[in-house]
Every structure is written in structure tokens, then in C-alpha cells.
Amino acid sequence: QVQLVESGGGLVQPGGSLRLSCAASGRIFRLNAMGWYRQAPGKQRELVATITTGGMTNYADSVKGRFTISRDNAKNTVYLQMNSLKPEDTAVYYCNAGLTNSALKYFEVWGQGTLVTVSS
């Protein structure tokens, strides 16, 4: 089994910064694209950013220019650097990973979520 463990959430003032981390562990045969999603109260889960193993990135329009996703393939870890945070960024942030097992079947895993609160 594969687990994703997130860290780095918390309370920050508007305009501040936070860095989220997500480490994958367990029986990893091949780790593919990883990403961050978020879910605000009363809203659906939405894409924040994704990154491929080769470093190609994709961002939601609402975070472009403020958030940066990166990964360390040697550590099976993905990061989300969040700058210029706004109250509307308040949400539970979830890490997602696409994997391939030894039978070459694709599957996805989700982290447990980490709460980010942007408030003065």
C-alpha cells in the first residue's frame, strides 16, 4: 500500500506565506504525476496545481503567480509554496498522486488533508 502524508498547514495572515509538503511512502513501483487540490467549506474539491515527473506544471487560474508546485523525485515528495495568501485560499488542502503498480495498473492515492486558514 501507498500512503501520502501532508504537513505544513496552519493559520497565516493575509499576504503571508506557507509551504505544504506531501511525502509518499510504502510499496511504490512508479510514482507519476502529483498534485494539490483544495476544498473550502461548502464547496467542491478543486484543482490547485499538478506536476509531472519531468517537472511540467499546471495551475488553477486563481493561484497562478502566487503558488509554486515542485517535487523531489528522490524523496517521493511534492511541495506547494503559497505566497501572497488571501482569505479565499482558506481550505483543506489535499495531496494526490498517480502511481503504477508492478502489474502496470494505474491507481491514485489521496492524503488526509491539511487545513490552511488565511485570516487576520
Side-chain angles (χ1 to χ4, degrees), residues 88-105:
E88 51 263 44
D89 294 317
T90 295
V92 177
Y93 284 70
Y94 296 91
C95 178
N96 171 271
L99 300 106
T100 303
N101 64 18
S102 57
L104 301 184
K105 291 190 68 174

Side-chain angles (χ1 to χ4, degrees), residues 4-112:
L4 300 180
V5 178
E6 300 138 336
S7 60
L11 173 65
V12 63
Q13 292 186 343
S17 298
L18 279 176
R19 188 190 194 211
L20 305 182
S21 299
C22 171
S25 63
R27 300 178 65 179
I28 298 173
F29 181 75
R30 184 184 303 156
L31 186 59
N32 303 315
M34 300 183 77
W36 290 95
Y37 293 72
R38 67 187 182 187
Q39 187 166 18
K43 295 188 176 181
Q44 289 188 330
R45 190 174 298 188
E46 62 177 4
L47 169 74
V48 176
T50 61
I51 185 167
T52 67
T53 52
M56 291 183 63
T57 59
N58 179 53
Y59 294 94
D61 288 342
S62 59
V63 306
K64 283 181 181 177
R66 300 188 298 122
F67 291 10
T68 301
I69 189 170
S70 61
R71 66 189 287 169
D72 184 333
N73 291 329
K75 296 182 179 179
N76 292 331
T77 299
V78 63
Y79 306 96
L80 185 68
Q81 178 66 44
M82 304 185 293
N83 298 328
S84 302
L85 282 160
K86 305 175 181 180
E88 51 263 44
D89 294 317
T90 295
V92 177
Y93 284 70
Y94 296 91
C95 178
N96 171 271
L99 300 106
T100 303
N101 64 18
S102 57
L104 301 184
K105 291 190 68 174
Y106 177 84
F107 64 101
E108 292 190 2
V109 179
W110 290 89
Q112 80 284 357

